[in-house]
Amino acid sequence: TLLEEGIGDTIRVSLTEEPEFEIPVCKNILKRYSANEADTKSPAYKDLQWDQPVKLSHDFVVRRTFEVSNIGGPHVPVIIADLSKLDFISRETLVDIGYSYQPETDKWKIGDMAADYIFTGDKILDFALPGTLKVIVYYETWLKATDKEKYVPIIDGEQYIGAPIEKSTGLNFLMIDCFSEGYPAFDLEKMLDTCKADATVVICLSSTNRNAVESIRKMFFELSSKQVENPVILICDSNHPSTDESLIHYAIEAGALLVDGFGNGICLGHHFGDKNVAPNLLFLNTVAFGVLQATRSRISKTEYISCPSCGRTLFDLQETTAKIRAVTNHLKGLKIAIMGCIVNGPGEMADADFGYVGSGPGKVTLYKGKEVIKRSVPENIAVAELVTLLKENDAWVEAE
């Protein structure tokens, strides 16, 4: 995200893996900043002050919004799964986005990483959905839907400020393309004046500009200057041929805005050149939750903070990380640090709840926060001692 701001000349990628796996990640990041790419950054808005932030936790500040349904206000960011490019949608389709239908009980099992909404474009589904899940469809499709509570419309700017139209009484999504060249012009001031007085509108922002982050950030400042407090969904699409490049694309474009406190939800899409290739819903859903977790805006799983191996590492970091993950990956929201040595470990794991740090050959020191709890624990029992420490501090629950 710093490179996206034009800051930095050199990068280093550190992974808790073999060092040769770090180079492809570097190369995929640098592809975004090739000398052949024209720099079409939007005008900088660095001098504008952000109005009235709301602090949700000790380390996360977000733009103030009112709430529409479960979006905005005090709610964590939502995830919208884009199913619009699928030719056919069934109950089985929803498994990849966290919903599993149980035919024997005629009920749905909902996972910790279940999308909050699905976007189906022009498709009305022929099966009953989980009670918590709503479907976003194009406006013309919504008009035909019989269940206007379960189905909600997404409206484009021209429709919204044109002749009066029928809208949902509870929730409407308004699509705005942010300053993209060639996009149909509309009266932005009129639109913002209208939607800020509409307590049912959630704004969806996207941009096809080369530097979409700057374009969308610019729109956020337009919202601020007009005192528009509607919640906002970040729409981020990738047309990169590989999942690795798409992963970096989503992390930069959605992550940069989320760490600035912008956005009350995200929707990730993948546009392949071959229209016959269906999007990988499991990948997109996992990345969406991963981006929210990494920006500390929505915690859905255990967080691990681990260092890359170096000459000071006092145990097999990859093997130890795998062992700790195996017994703790069900502890949603817990932050566990796994550090190879005492030199950098305590500083790098400063915001961890618990720490596992190499302190000598075959020895481990266990931390609670920044406090040393157990010193010189033999490595062969250190993982078990970490579990004991978690239990002693009421941070442990049994896996289902």
Side-chain angles (χ1 to χ4, degrees):
T1 60
L2 290 172
L3 289 171
E4 196 77 2
E5 305 285 352
I7 299 170
D9 304 287
T10 306
I11 63 171
R12 172 193 169 189
V13 167
S14 296
L15 304 176
T16 306
E17 299 182 46
E18 298 301 329
E20 60 267 27
F21 294 134
E22 298 170 348
I23 302 305
V25 181
C26 288
K27 289 183 175 179
N28 282 330
I29 291 173
L30 291 179
K31 283 180 183 178
R32 289 181 64 86
Y33 310 105
S34 164
N36 296 325
E37 294 278 3
D39 183 8
T40 56
K41 285 184 110 178
S42 301
Y45 271 59
K46 295 177 182 177
D47 295 334
L48 293 182
Q49 297 298 311
W50 188 237
D51 291 343
Q52 304 165 319
V54 169
K55 195 161 188 173
L56 290 186
S57 67
H58 70 285
D59 59 355
F60 192 66
V61 178
V62 299
R63 163 182 171 258
R64 186 173 75 181
T65 69
F66 56 75
E67 59 182 301
V68 183
S69 186
N70 63 336
I71 306 175
H75 301 288
V76 296
V78 298
I79 287 176
I80 300 173
D82 184 355
L83 278 57
S84 64
K85 299 174 190 65
L86 300 179
D87 293 328
F88 178 72
I89 301 171
S90 68
R91 290 187 180 94
E92 289 70 31
T93 305
L94 304 189
V95 171
D96 287 342
I97 60 168
Y99 295 89
S100 178
Y101 179 67
Q102 314 293 310
E104 61 278 3
T105 60
D106 191 29
K107 293 182 178 179
W108 291 87
K109 182 178 180 181
I110 303 175
D112 288 335
M113 295 174 61
D116 304 284
Y117 293 81
I118 57 175
F119 171 57
T120 63
D122 57 3
K123 299 178 184 68
I124 301 291
L125 305 182
D126 61 0
F127 57 90
L129 288 164
T132 57
L133 187 62
K134 289 190 176 182
V135 185
I136 304 168
V137 292
Y138 294 128
Y139 178 70
E140 292 79 6
T141 303
W142 177 76
L143 289 175
K144 302 173 187 175
T146 56
D147 186 350
K148 287 186 167 54
E149 292 295 322
K150 179 65 73 174
Y151 286 80
V152 295
I154 185 164
I155 306 167
D156 67 36
E158 291 180 303
Q159 288 173 323
Y160 186 71
I161 61 175
I165 58 174
E166 179 186 357
K167 294 184 296 181
S168 167
T169 57
L171 175 60
N172 297 277
F173 291 89
L174 172 62
M175 191 72 211
I176 300 179
D177 187 290
C178 300
F179 313 108
S180 296
E181 186 177 352
Y183 188 76
F186 54 83
D187 188 336
L188 178 61
E189 185 169 349
K190 179 181 178 181
M191 180 184 298
L192 297 185
D193 282 338
T194 305
C195 72
K196 77 176 181 180
D198 190 338
T200 71
V201 165
V202 173
I203 300 171
C204 300
L205 297 183
S206 68
S207 180
T208 58
N209 285 342
R210 167 68 184 83
N211 194 308
V213 173
E214 287 294 325
S215 297
I216 295 174
R217 184 182 285 120
K218 176 182 176 182
M219 185 62 76
F220 272 109
F221 284 112
E222 293 286 349
L223 298 181
S224 177
S225 68
K226 297 291 290 183
Q227 298 180 324
V228 177
E229 296 186 357
N230 301 67
V232 169
I233 303 295
L234 304 175
I235 309 295
C236 183
D237 291 328
S238 168
N239 57 9
H240 294 285
S242 73
T243 55
D244 287 347
E245 290 174 84
S246 293
L247 173 61
I248 289 166
H249 175 85
Y250 299 134
I252 290 173
E253 293 209 347
L257 293 162
L258 287 164
V259 296
D260 282 346
F262 300 148
N264 306 99
I266 59 175
C267 179
L268 307 183
H270 198 171
H271 298 279
F272 289 95
D274 185 349
K275 294 183 179 179
N276 295 318
V277 179
N280 186 333
L281 295 180
L282 178 59
F283 167 73
L284 292 172
N285 195 64
T286 302
V287 171
F289 276 98
V291 168
L292 293 183
Q293 175 106 3
T295 58
R296 297 291 195 270
S297 53
R298 179 172 178 173
I299 304 300
S300 56
K301 55 188 175 181
T302 316
E303 179 83 5
Y304 297 97
I305 305 165
S306 59
C307 63
S309 296
C310 73
R312 294 189 300 267
T313 303
L314 296 165
F315 51 79
D316 187 320
L317 196 67
Q318 292 182 56
E319 180 183 348
T320 301
T321 300
K323 287 179 179 178
I324 293 175
R325 279 180 178 271
V327 296
T328 62
N329 63 8
H330 63 289
L331 301 175
K332 177 180 175 180
L334 199 67
K335 289 186 278 189
I336 300 175
I338 307 153
M339 295 291 157
C341 76
I342 203 71
V343 177
N344 292 332
E348 293 183 15
M349 68 177 202
D351 68 338
D353 299 310
F354 295 90
Y356 180 110
V357 181
S359 55
K363 301 293 183 181
V364 171
T365 295
L366 299 180
Y367 286 72
K368 179 187 176 184
K370 298 177 183 179
E371 180 185 359
V372 174
I373 303 298
K374 297 183 180 182
R375 297 182 186 273
S376 299
V377 179
E379 185 184 343
N380 62 333
I381 64 167
V383 174
E385 287 295 302
L386 174 62
V387 172
T388 299
L389 179 61
L390 297 176
K391 291 178 177 178
E392 291 172 348
N393 288 274
D394 297 324
W396 180 266
V397 294
E398 296 297 333
E400 294 182 1

